[in-house]
Amino acid sequence: CSADEAGRHAAACPFRAHSCASPRCGLQMSAHEAGAHDAQCPWKVLGCPRGCGAQFVRQKVGEHLEGSCDRREAVCPFAKIGCGVLCTQGELSQHLGDHSSQHLLFALAVIGRQQQILSGATAELLDVRNRAHAAEAECVAYRQEIGSLHKTLTAMQKEQSALGKRVAASDAHLKKVDVSMAKLGSTAGSSDRAAQTALSKLTGEHSKLKATVDALVSALKREK
């Protein structure tokens, strides 16, 4: 072929050598691969898809959109306490300046509500403390009363034990008197004045002892 034809072919040949146009890339390839590479070259300079005017290499697109893009949707720092204005990252500073008074009112309202809640919680806490102190004092009084009742019960048990011993002793003595009276009764028909006198004394003693035993038994029943 002629030189002209060879020149035209070299200029249009899909396998001619081609370098990436991005200075930081410079990858060498065939001409027919240039389009595919250009669509994904990480070093190709692009403009912000939101139109903020910033330029950056393709691999920084996500970082820009999530960070420094002026047209990224921003949330007002006072949104949680009442501000409902929607703005972009680039408009946020002006919004904060233009609405500073309203933001202050939002903050004061929140502080007022928090103070009311705090006052109510403080009053409730004081009431709980007072009730706790009253319950503690009542517990102390109950403990003291239980201690006093325990002492009284111990004393009653000792007294009951002593009364039981006295009843047993009186009962034994009464039985002895009964035996003596029975012996004297067998000789009551004699004219012996001494025997009659002794019998009379024993009879009186028997009556007194029986009265004492009856009184002790009644006392024991009351203690139970």
Side-chain angles (χ1 to χ4, degrees), residues 32-184:
H32 71 90
E33 299 172 324
H37 172 74
D38 184 72
Q40 62 182 6
C41 177
W43 297 105
K44 183 176 181 179
V45 177
L46 302 173
C48 175
R50 292 188 181 128
C52 75
Q55 289 189 332
F56 37 80
V57 295
R58 176 178 276 119
Q59 62 182 335
K60 297 291 185 178
V61 172
E63 181 180 335
H64 169 76
L65 294 177
E66 295 298 325
S68 60
C69 180
D70 285 343
R71 292 194 176 181
R72 178 173 64 87
E73 183 178 338
V75 178
C76 175
F78 294 90
K80 291 183 178 181
I81 61 173
C83 182
V85 175
L86 300 177
C87 60
T88 64
Q89 184 71 20
E91 299 167 340
L92 183 59
S93 296
Q94 182 176 354
H95 163 70
L96 292 175
D98 293 343
H99 296 81
S100 58
S101 298
Q102 188 175 4
H103 291 161
L104 180 59
L105 292 176
F106 288 146
L108 289 175
V110 171
I111 293 172
R113 291 195 296 270
Q114 290 177 341
Q115 286 178 339
Q116 290 178 352
I117 295 172
L118 181 60
S119 297
T122 301
E124 185 176 354
L125 178 60
L126 290 175
D127 180 62
V128 171
R129 286 180 178 175
N130 291 335
R131 284 186 287 159
H133 291 159
E136 184 177 359
E138 189 174 355
C139 288
V140 171
Y142 283 150
R143 291 192 189 100
Q144 293 176 347
E145 185 176 357
I146 290 172
S148 177
L149 289 173
H150 180 71
K151 291 180 180 178
T152 301
L153 179 60
T154 301
M156 290 175 64
Q157 290 174 340
K158 290 181 179 179
E159 185 176 354
Q160 185 178 6
S161 177
L163 286 172
K165 291 178 181 179
R166 290 173 60 188
V167 168
S170 297
D171 187 55
H173 187 60
L174 184 59
K175 289 179 179 179
K176 291 181 180 179
V177 172
D178 288 337
V179 172
S180 298
M181 287 180 65
K183 290 180 179 179
L184 289 174

